[in-house]
Amino acid sequence: MAEPIKNRYDFVILFDVENGNPNGDPDAGNMPRIDPETNFGIVTDVCLKRKIRDYVEAVKEDAKGYRIYIKSGIPLNRSDLEAYEYLGLNGKSVKERKKDDPTLDLQVRDFMCKNFYDIRTFGAVMTTFMKDSLNCGQVRGPVQLGFGRSIEPIFPQEVTITRMAITTEEDAATKQNTMGYKYIVPYALYRAEGFISANLARKTTGFSEEDLELLWDAIVNMFENDRSAGRGKMSMRQLIIFKHASELGNAPSYRLFETVTVARKDASSPTPARSYQDYQVEIAQDRIPKGVEVIVRS
């Protein structure tokens, strides 16, 4: 297995949406998520991780070491069972095996990290209480993402649509079409921030340089194979990476994030932003602490 990463990273993601719903809220009729106190748009970390997982699955196609643990249609226990079978846990009870081998829990964890990319990256809660009381434990992954937040307040619009398809024979006798609706955000630019711990990669999951490069590729391309009518036009605009010279880091994350500013080019404009070109992104290079390298990908 490849060597774990040796450097800590922090990163900023800038992405936008045009005439789409970037992350619907099921508790609000699938309306785009907002902070109700400020009307700033929100995209959850879970939403972003799903797109990264889907990209890795599309690129690697379940190649050895790059399978996805949390995926549609696959029960978690089915994947957990592979660790049981690999370690020969079907014959003896778990308690008996643990008496013989106190490192059993670590062996199960290491098997799951080695075989599933998203566990190695994001971690996972695998305490699903399978037969014989064994579970695969909990893993805190080295890569963590915060919520995305729009640069300015958003104003979701409810768009009424006409659906020509009729569902039932009874409806066909009296109707020629039905009405529906969808929510859109005309335009919004979002910012999300992330963290990568080389310390956790070394001690826990083995997240490697190859895994890291795949993660960057997944972030840059996470919307390119995730098109749908409901999400509209979503695009990754910039990935700003802060590479520390050491495992534990050379500066606090907040100091690095504060060097990245996103603002309207024309702050006095009375009209809302409608494109990425309406914004200006700046990195204060003179404020980057010693021992931190800035890498920009787009």
Side-chain angles (χ1 to χ4, degrees):
M1 192 171 178
E3 288 292 315
I5 59 171
K6 294 180 171 57
N7 305 85
R8 197 186 102 188
Y9 294 84
D10 299 294
F11 57 94
V12 175
I13 302 171
L14 297 176
F15 62 94
D16 61 5
V17 61
E18 182 180 328
N19 294 326
N21 185 351
N23 187 201
D25 184 350
D27 289 327
N30 207 44
M31 185 182 79
R33 295 181 189 272
I34 61 170
D35 174 351
E37 293 183 322
T38 64
N39 261 49
F40 282 91
I42 292 172
V43 172
T44 66
D45 60 323
V46 175
C47 175
L48 297 174
K49 288 178 182 178
R50 177 75 270 152
K51 298 181 191 313
I52 292 170
R53 285 184 171 101
D54 289 346
Y55 176 84
V56 171
E57 185 176 15
V59 168
K60 292 298 185 178
E61 295 185 337
D62 284 339
K64 185 177 180 180
Y66 291 94
R67 294 166 57 201
I68 298 300
Y69 180 66
I70 299 177
K71 60 191 293 186
S72 177
I74 305 296
L76 300 181
N77 283 353
R78 185 186 303 173
S79 299
D80 295 338
L81 187 59
E82 295 181 28
Y84 288 37
E85 294 172 344
Y86 176 78
L87 296 170
L89 293 173
N90 293 336
K92 292 183 179 181
S93 71
V94 174
K95 289 183 179 179
E96 290 174 334
R97 285 295 303 269
K98 284 187 176 180
K99 287 180 182 178
D100 296 339
D101 187 353
T103 68
L104 180 61
D105 288 338
L106 289 179
Q107 292 181 56
V108 171
R109 183 200 72 185
D110 290 346
F111 174 88
M112 300 301 285
C113 289
K114 182 178 180 180
N115 285 275
F116 295 93
Y117 176 82
D118 55 338
I119 297 177
R120 198 161 62 245
T121 304
F122 303 124
V125 176
M126 299 173 285
T127 50
T128 54
F129 300 103
M130 292 178 62
K131 62 180 181 180
D132 209 8
S133 299
L134 180 67
N135 61 67
C136 295
Q138 299 183 29
V139 176
R140 184 155 63 102
V143 180
Q144 299 300 328
L145 280 166
F147 279 25
R149 182 176 180 268
S150 65
I151 302 302
E152 296 182 281
I154 66 170
F155 298 93
Q157 296 180 11
E158 184 179 19
V159 179
T160 303
I161 58 176
T162 303
R163 191 172 73 133
M164 298 306 296
I166 303 301
T167 305
T168 66
E169 291 292 341
E170 289 78 7
D171 287 343
T174 58
K175 301 177 182 178
Q176 292 186 340
N177 54 49
T178 56
M179 305 300 290
Y181 67 92
K182 63 192 301 185
Y183 283 107
I184 66 164
V185 177
Y187 180 81
L189 177 62
Y190 289 78
R191 170 177 174 156
E193 295 162 351
F195 318 83
I196 304 179
S197 168
N199 188 254
L200 278 174
R202 175 175 60 84
K203 290 182 176 180
T204 308
T205 73
F207 184 79
S208 68
E209 292 290 343
E210 290 83 355
D211 293 331
L212 179 66
E213 192 57 34
L214 179 58
L215 175 68
W216 298 144
D217 287 342
I219 291 173
V220 169
N221 295 289
M222 62 182 172
F223 300 118
E224 295 306 311
N225 294 288
D226 186 61
R227 305 298 182 189
S228 78
R231 279 188 286 277
K233 179 183 173 184
M234 295 191 69
S235 304
M236 255 297 302
R237 291 299 184 170
Q238 223 167 46
L239 168 60
I240 302 166
I241 303 165
F242 299 98
K243 180 180 180 180
H244 297 255
S246 64
E247 180 182 285
L248 295 179
N250 298 76
S253 300
Y254 78 88
R255 285 182 59 192
L256 302 177
F257 295 149
E258 286 176 352
T259 66
V260 180
T261 57
V262 185
R264 290 284 294 276
K265 290 180 180 178
D266 183 1
S268 62
S269 173
T271 60
R274 283 297 181 263
S275 76
Y276 183 64
Q277 284 67 41
D278 291 336
Y279 290 96
Q280 183 169 331
V281 180
E282 293 184 344
I283 305 171
Q285 296 284 355
D286 58 329
R287 292 168 52 199
I288 302 298
K290 186 178 179 180
V292 178
E293 176 187 1
V294 181
I295 304 167
V296 178
R297 296 183 58 171
S298 57

